[in-house]
Amino acid sequence: MNTEFIKGVIVPILMPIDKEEMIHIPKLREMVNYVISGGVHGILLFGSNGEFFAMEPEELEQATEVVLDEVNGRVPVYIGVGAITTRRCIKIARMAAEKGAQGISLLQPMFLAPNETELFDHYKAVAQAVPNLPVLIYNNPRVGYGISPALGARMNQEIPNIVGIKDSSGNMSVLAEYVRLTQGTGFKVLAGKDTMIFSALAQGAVGCVATTANFLPAYVVDIYNLYQAGDWEGAREAQFRLTPVRNALDLASFPVGTKDIANLMGLNVGAPYLPNQSSKGAVLEKMRAILMQEGVL
């Protein structure tokens, strides 16, 4: 299975919606072209900042068709699979394969607290349902628990098409252990924390999944490209340039900040799905002030 394309800056593209909470298809197409023109190396549809949790099954299918059509092979497209049951995850994964996605990112089940045997069997069942599609583990402790490096390494060893991980633990020790335990296997470790891209690359990560690439794709791509060119000081400075803007996202409730900043920058992507609401008042003004201080506005 070819996995050489799994690298670089992958953007978990946000989902523009209109006032009726329907997908704003022309704006979604605009966003695809905006991030590709900014240099990203891949697009992840239905990541956390893509608000997958708010979308109906037919909307997941519609958005997949639109993005794959607009990308038209220019960069790989990964489909995020996030559902509580194995059955539902298999349906989404098969949809991704049928539509022609290049890979899937599988989030651990929310709300539940499965043990490691249950988690392993869940990932194995979904991966086996799409045997010709690369599967990335999505380790996001926001669901209430994480996936240990030892379990991730076991999945890589025993499930042929589990080929990498997006690690959003925010813990460099965890990310480094994923790299250490999978050395020589071709396992692709991707940083899921935008403030840790440079340090993750230094530990052996092959890239990142970075929400800031929705509105500052060139900033994120600079970190990766400079690092690959051997300009480590330049890559570190590029990381430092991005970090204050990334930290501004934390002023808002999750995952509102990505759309807040995109809208402040004139991308006009609409509001988040309810019950989340766009930031207002002092929070929004603080975001604006940070963007102005960092020379983004």
Side-chain angles (χ1 to χ4, degrees), residues 3-11 41-42 44 78 104-105 135-140 163-172 174-176 178-179 182 186-194 196-197 199-201 204-210 224:
T3 61
E4 289 302 311
F5 64 89
I6 303 174
K7 60 183 178 182
V9 175
I10 301 170
V11 56
H41 306 94
L44 169 63
Y78 308 81
I104 65 169
S105 169
V135 177
L136 300 173
I137 301 164
Y138 179 10
N139 180 35
N140 191 341
V163 299
I165 185 167
K166 174 195 174 185
D167 176 45
S168 294
S169 67
N171 185 326
M172 187 52 61
V174 170
L175 184 143
Y178 270 111
V179 174
T182 59
F187 192 74
K188 310 290 186 177
V189 176
L190 297 157
K193 182 78 170 177
D194 296 27
M196 295 170 54
I197 298 168
S199 52
L201 292 171
V206 299
C208 63
V209 181
Y224 178 79

Side-chain angles (χ1 to χ4, degrees), residues 176-242:
E177 190 70 350
Y178 270 111
V179 174
R180 186 184 73 83
L181 291 177
T182 59
Q183 287 183 95
T185 68
F187 192 74
K188 310 290 186 177
V189 176
L190 297 157
K193 182 78 170 177
D194 296 27
T195 55
M196 295 170 54
I197 298 168
F198 171 77
S199 52
L201 292 171
Q203 289 283 0
V206 299
C208 63
V209 181
T211 192
T212 48
N214 275 291
F215 46 79
L216 285 175
Y219 273 40
V220 186
V221 170
D222 275 351
I223 302 170
Y224 178 79
N225 285 347
L226 288 165
Y227 189 90
Q228 295 304 312
D231 183 359
W232 300 308
E233 184 173 346
R236 184 185 63 178
E237 290 306 312
Q239 176 71 79
F240 289 165
R241 179 175 67 162
L242 178 69

Side-chain angles (χ1 to χ4, degrees), residues 10-61:
I10 301 170
V11 56
I13 198 163
L14 55 75
M15 187 57 59
I17 58 174
D18 61 23
K19 292 181 180 179
E20 285 71 45
E21 294 196 343
M22 303 299 291
I23 299 170
H24 195 312
I25 293 175
K27 182 59 66 174
L28 179 57
R29 291 183 181 273
E30 283 182 26
M31 283 299 302
V32 166
N33 289 305
Y34 176 76
V35 297
I36 290 177
S37 67
V40 302
H41 306 94
I43 291 175
L44 169 63
L45 188 58
F46 315 132
S48 299
N49 280 276
E51 299 174 286
F52 71 90
F53 44 81
M55 302 179 69
E56 300 296 331
E58 60 271 18
E59 292 176 312
L60 298 178
E61 186 170 349

Side-chain angles (χ1 to χ4, degrees), residues 45 57 67 84 102 119 133 161 231 253 275 287:
L45 188 58
V67 169
I84 294 174
Q102 282 69 57
L119 269 178
L133 204 60
N161 58 325
D231 183 359
S253 59
M287 283 185 179

